[in-house]
Amino acid sequence: MTVTPSATLVANEDIERRRRAGERVLHLAFGEAGLPVHPALRDKLVAASERNGYGPVAGAAELRSAAAGYWTRRGLATDPELVVCGPGSKSLLYGLLLAIGGDVVLPMPSWVSYAAQAELIGSRSILLPAPPGEGGAPDPDLIVSAVLHARAQGRIVRSVLVTLPDNPTGRLATPQTIHRLVEVARELDLVIISDEIYRDLVHDPAASFVSPADLAPERTVVTTGLSKSLALGGWRIGVARLPDGAHDLRTKVLAVASEIWSAPAAPVQEAAAYAFTEPIELVERVALSRRLHSIVSRAVYDRFTEAGASVAMPQGGFYLYPDLGHLGLGGSAETARVLLDSHGIGVLPGHAFGDNPAAARVRVATSLLYGETAEERLASLTATEPLLLPWISANLDHLSMGLKELSLTPPAPTRTRAATLIPAAAHG
């Protein structure tokens, strides 16, 4: 087993090191929400700071009840007894993969940690592309043959994982794809793990969003958290809704949790319980965040299309996945290296997400363009026209200039120096 550090964290540390050394680097490599904490959440955390007991492994009853209400308001009736809390949805996903066992079907590309976590528990990933123009869900028409082939070789395949909307592409699987995926999962007896951490950041609130749990609540696990919608990544809190009636899976997940994290931090749980009740001030904050992410990610989309890149319009979160193959720079690692070293633009290479290393696709995160201080970020959040703010405008100008310079640089087909910025952490 060879597992290297998370590509996103490696990139973040490298870019911060360059910045401390005085380099001007546009940070498009880290998927942090880039916004300040709402004062009401800070107040809840401070008020709960004396709570220093471990608490139940499954999470505090108040938090599990609030999370159940969150899903119920979205049309998915949820028993609080089938809600499990953890220190971030990332930890919960690891615990789920360990508890479910077997190999897992993943979309290609997909978030860097999925395949790495599978490898940590001794499982293998089956990476399959999404339907054209979509992201986050492997093409259902490819799943059957891939799983049957793996099983014919003696492999045990037990789950399929989707991300709605997607990281890294920013795209959303269509309702038709989710319906077909559920049919395939039933046919093959697969557990569906639906990572919905970006659900509340779908750019168009009227867009058709179908969770696999809406169609197959008896075989779907849903995970979410507050790191993206409310920018609480550093607080480390996540929740999982287990399938209806899945008490055996609950027992296994809690056994894993009891040996790895015991319980999420008690003060954070209290603040999270408040957040999942969705008081009006936090609903408004999420709406402002969604609007800002949409405006800035689409402005970045415009810069890449103007530079000749092939890129799909983002539909949720704060990511894009442009293909810069027309520049002839080489594969994803080489392209990312040239962007960073020669043009001060930090991105992640597509191969870190399990994509073909020879393809010049990169993951672009737009959420650190909102300012360097809490004051600037809050101003970005509330601005009527955030693109006119001087710091956002300057960041977009830096991106435009770098991409323009890149497009004017002749291809270097004889270049052979290997890129070393990002380790290939997520190959299955």
Side-chain angles (χ1 to χ4, degrees), residues 31-33 198 201 228 293 297 316-320 364-367 370:
E32 189 166 278
Y198 298 97
L201 297 179
K228 311 303 179 182
H293 296 321
S297 65
F318 32 79
Y319 302 115
L320 302 91
V364 175
T366 64
S367 50
Y370 307 150

Side-chain angles (χ1 to χ4, degrees), residues 293-379:
H293 296 321
S294 174
I295 290 172
V296 175
S297 65
R298 293 186 182 213
V300 171
Y301 164 86
D302 289 341
R303 271 58 178 184
F304 274 95
T305 56
E306 288 167 4
S310 174
V311 56
M313 174 76 77
Q315 295 174 291
F318 32 79
Y319 302 115
L320 302 91
Y321 199 63
D323 188 328
L324 296 167
H326 68 291
L327 297 174
L329 298 172
S332 63
E334 181 68 5
T335 299
R337 185 191 65 78
V338 172
L339 279 167
L340 180 61
D341 288 350
S342 301
H343 304 283
I345 299 172
V347 298
L348 284 182
H351 77 268
F353 299 86
D355 206 347
N356 180 357
R361 290 185 281 269
V362 297
R363 202 285 302 271
V364 175
T366 64
S367 50
L368 295 184
L369 301 181
Y370 307 150
E372 296 295 326
T373 67
E375 292 75 18
E376 288 182 348
R377 293 165 185 159
L378 186 60

